Amino acid sequence: MTIGLEPRGFTWVIARRLAVSERIGGYGFQHRRVRREEEIAWLRAHGVNAVLSLLEGNQNLAAYEKAHLIAANEPLPDLNVEGVKRVLKAMSRMLSKSDRVLLVHRDVIDDTLAGVLAGYLVHSGRIEEPIMATALIQEILKRPLGPEARAAIPLAEGA
């Protein structure tokens, strides 16, 4: 029996450790409270216990906390050195506990989010070469990374 509703675009980046999806409950006019609750239930049933939102506002944070998820917000409206480093540090901090299973999201899975994920693979030492991180994230997300995403990956090396 399946509990809840799988979030749009949900994908494991690191199996049972780091995942990505679109904003829980949808975004803009598509956002629905009932859908958000169903997606949170699905996340919890699949082991996710922490959420990092890269949205500019604090949307959904209260709902995550109400569901006993560890929740943080690191706004990243666009890719810039300071923002990428801040997000990578937050991801590292949240994943520093061995039992943590983290979901990272923006409204949609775009180049900004893809670049941060590839950057995290380099930043965390899981992959040494940025080109390999690019190839892996392209395979995982089933989409090519544009110039914006590719530009974010080297920022991770010094973060």
Side-chain angles (χ1 to χ4, degrees), residues 133-149:
T134 301
L136 182 59
I137 290 299
Q138 289 181 143
E139 180 69 26
I140 290 169
L141 298 180
K142 309 247 185 293
R143 68 186 288 280
L145 299 188
E148 184 177 331

Side-chain angles (χ1 to χ4, degrees), residues 120-140:
Y120 179 76
L121 295 176
V122 173
H123 172 75
S124 66
R126 285 176 168 81
I127 296 180
E128 288 185 31
E129 297 296 324
I131 195 161
M132 294 303 293
T134 301
L136 182 59
I137 290 299
Q138 289 181 143
E139 180 69 26
I140 290 169

Side-chain angles (χ1 to χ4, degrees), residues 25-70:
Y27 65 95
F29 294 114
Q30 298 176 5
H31 186 79
R32 301 287 182 264
R33 183 182 60 81
V34 173
R35 181 177 180 90
R36 180 183 65 214
E37 290 170 1
E38 286 293 314
E39 290 181 3
I40 289 172
W42 188 92
L43 290 170
R44 289 183 44 86
H46 286 82
V48 174
N49 55 20
V51 177
L52 177 61
S53 171
L54 304 185
L55 299 174
E56 291 185 66
N58 62 358
Q59 301 98 329
N60 292 352
L61 290 183
Y64 300 147
E65 291 168 357
K66 182 179 177 186
H68 305 289
L69 296 172
I70 296 160

Side-chain angles (χ1 to χ4, degrees), residues 101-119:
V101 180
L102 178 63
L103 172 80
V104 180
H105 77 77
R106 282 175 46 98
D107 277 332
V108 296
I109 300 172
D110 58 4
D111 259 17
T112 297
L113 187 50
V116 165
L117 294 170

